[in-house]
Amino acid sequence: MKMTIHRRILPLAHEFTIARGSITTQGSLIVELSHDGERGFGEVTENTYYGHTLDALTECLGQAEDMLDQYIDSPPEAVWQAAREALGGNQFALSALDIAAHDLHGKRQCLPTWKVWELSWNQVPDSSYTIGIDDIDTMRAKLREQPGWGHYKIKLGTPHDLDILRALREETDAVFRIDANCGWSPEETVFNSQAMRELGVEFIEQPLPAEADAEDKRYVFEHSELPLIADENCQREEDVKACHGVFHGINVKLCKCGGLTPALRMLREARELGMRTMVGCMVESSVGISAGAQLLPLLDYADLDGAILISEDPAQGVQVRQGKIILAERPGTGTGAWLKES
């Protein structure tokens, strides 16, 4: 089994701002696993918030060279723990490797990954389109550039969040989903939930900081008039149970949890607990988006617009058109067996 790492700098269509900062480009590592004429692809993007740079991720992935042959005769889920140990527990690097392994495994089975998992592709949710924080006129313009979506995810965490939302509501009657990215206090969350319910908001994602007191989390859970979805508070498998009773649902991101293998387990556990399920993404290429899309049969909500936010996609795979997920014809995660050169 051979591993090749492709570095890419993904240019964004617009500057992308959340409560923690802004970016105009996104660094990405695309991991390619090849064996016996087949190639599988995975992706992880660098993330300063979590301390992952392209150099550090590349160095970390090199530590897995000696265990790659385990993927030849075993499915990815059987190798995941060995890969985790080889990578020193680095969830971001592990995610890219695990995604590539699932893509390769599906291609060798001549089946899409969701079929390998014996899931049924019935009534899967549409994706939302994300509007990053900006001045109100620019946010309105961004929404107009992407008309026809049934769901828009609005990044908030400013002193004038309700003004933003009222202005965007004048542009569309679509459903809004709010991501505060840890930017609100408990009192703001409860107050905003009341006002936003009247503005057609479906849920609020991660309103409080991840390190907020348990008492504050229980307060907003009990008093919010909208469902609360955990993001920063649900990064690993053990977090699912901890979120039960303080969030109504979880947003699983592959890079944070360590790939498709744990994501599948997390979503199934959340469903058993009666929680709502969602898969989100970073600003990333079709490699990462195609992987996340394999989990759609287990989801209530999807946020898989990352490849639309970039101006040049270095790969082919699953497509998202006004929220509708268009599967690729290829097996595995659907990622094309080629990459455009930078």
Side-chain angles (χ1 to χ4, degrees):
M1 183 76 66
K2 179 183 177 182
M3 177 171 63
T4 306
I5 297 175
H6 307 268
R7 287 193 181 208
R8 294 291 183 269
I9 302 298
L10 308 176
L12 274 62
H14 296 285
E15 182 179 65
F16 189 74
T17 301
I18 63 174
R20 293 191 294 264
S22 303
I23 57 172
T24 56
T25 61
Q26 176 66 70
S28 170
L29 285 186
I30 296 175
V31 174
E32 175 186 343
L33 291 180
S34 57
H35 178 72
D36 209 16
E38 293 285 3
R39 296 194 291 167
F41 298 93
E43 181 180 19
V44 62
T45 55
E46 66 179 348
N47 191 299
T48 55
Y49 179 74
Y50 292 100
H52 297 290
T53 65
L54 294 185
D55 286 341
L57 288 165
T58 301
E59 182 179 356
C60 183
L61 283 162
Q63 300 172 17
E65 291 280 0
D66 292 340
M67 52 75 57
L68 294 178
D69 283 352
Q70 294 184 45
Y71 287 117
I72 295 174
D73 298 317
S74 300
E77 58 269 21
V79 183
W80 186 82
Q81 185 58 39
R84 186 172 187 269
E85 293 171 2
L87 296 174
N90 186 313
Q91 302 289 97
F92 273 59
L94 176 60
S95 173
L97 182 58
D98 185 67
I99 291 170
H102 276 281
D103 186 30
L104 181 60
H105 182 66
K107 286 170 177 170
R108 296 180 72 198
Q109 299 285 316
C110 296
L111 290 171
T113 299
W114 61 271
K115 279 192 177 181
V116 174
W117 296 333
E118 300 182 347
L119 300 178
S120 298
W121 200 270
N122 297 318
Q123 297 181 326
V124 299
D126 291 350
S127 173
S128 55
Y129 178 78
T130 303
I131 308 293
I133 295 173
D134 214 312
D135 64 79
I136 290 178
D137 287 342
T138 301
M139 292 179 76
R140 293 178 75 148
K142 288 178 181 178
L143 193 151
R144 290 190 207 112
E145 286 181 7
Q146 291 287 338
W149 291 67
H151 304 82
Y152 291 94
K153 181 175 178 179
I154 315 300
K155 295 282 190 177
L156 294 178
T158 77
H160 48 276
D161 286 342
L162 289 176
D163 292 334
I164 291 172
L165 204 56
R166 291 188 186 104
L168 294 179
R169 178 48 73 208
E170 294 175 0
E171 300 290 333
T172 180
D173 60 0
V175 174
F176 286 159
R177 297 166 176 174
I178 301 304
D179 186 357
N181 279 115
C182 309
W184 294 346
S185 70
E187 293 74 22
E188 281 180 295
T189 302
V190 174
F191 177 82
N192 286 341
S193 74
Q194 296 165 349
M196 290 178 177
R197 184 186 64 174
E198 304 302 319
L199 289 167
V201 171
E202 187 173 23
F203 63 72
I204 298 170
E205 184 180 339
Q206 195 68 42
L208 304 184
E211 64 275 12
D213 292 341
E215 183 177 341
D216 286 341
K217 291 175 183 175
R218 283 194 299 270
Y219 171 78
V220 297
F221 179 77
E222 292 169 1
H223 293 89
S224 174
E225 295 195 18
L226 291 170
L228 305 174
I229 307 298
D231 181 359
E232 283 82 358
N233 273 118
C234 193
Q235 298 185 34
R236 303 187 180 217
E237 291 184 65
E238 57 267 28
D239 294 334
V240 176
K241 188 174 181 180
C243 287
H244 185 237
V246 288
F247 289 95
H248 301 89
I250 61 167
N251 178 12
V252 174
K253 291 184 177 174
L254 303 184
C255 62
K256 296 180 185 180
C257 72
L260 287 167
T261 294
L264 191 64
R265 295 193 291 248
M266 291 170 74
L267 294 168
R268 285 174 166 159
E269 181 182 0
R271 286 197 153 197
E272 290 174 1
L273 291 170
M275 301 178 74
R276 304 181 194 193
T277 55
M278 175 179 174
V279 162
C281 65
M282 301 301 196
V283 177
E284 57 193 336
S285 80
S286 289
V287 177
I289 299 304
S290 297
Q294 305 305 305
L295 297 161
L296 281 166
L298 294 173
L299 304 184
D300 296 302
Y301 315 118
D303 182 38
L304 296 172
D305 64 338
I308 297 174
L309 300 176
I310 62 177
S311 59
E312 279 185 43
D313 194 338
Q316 289 184 328
V318 167
Q319 297 182 43
V320 183
R321 299 175 185 167
Q322 292 183 318
K324 302 296 181 184
I325 309 296
I326 312 299
L327 288 171
E329 296 181 359
R330 306 172 193 85
T333 66
T335 303
W338 63 277
L339 293 168
K340 297 176 185 176
E341 292 302 323
S342 296

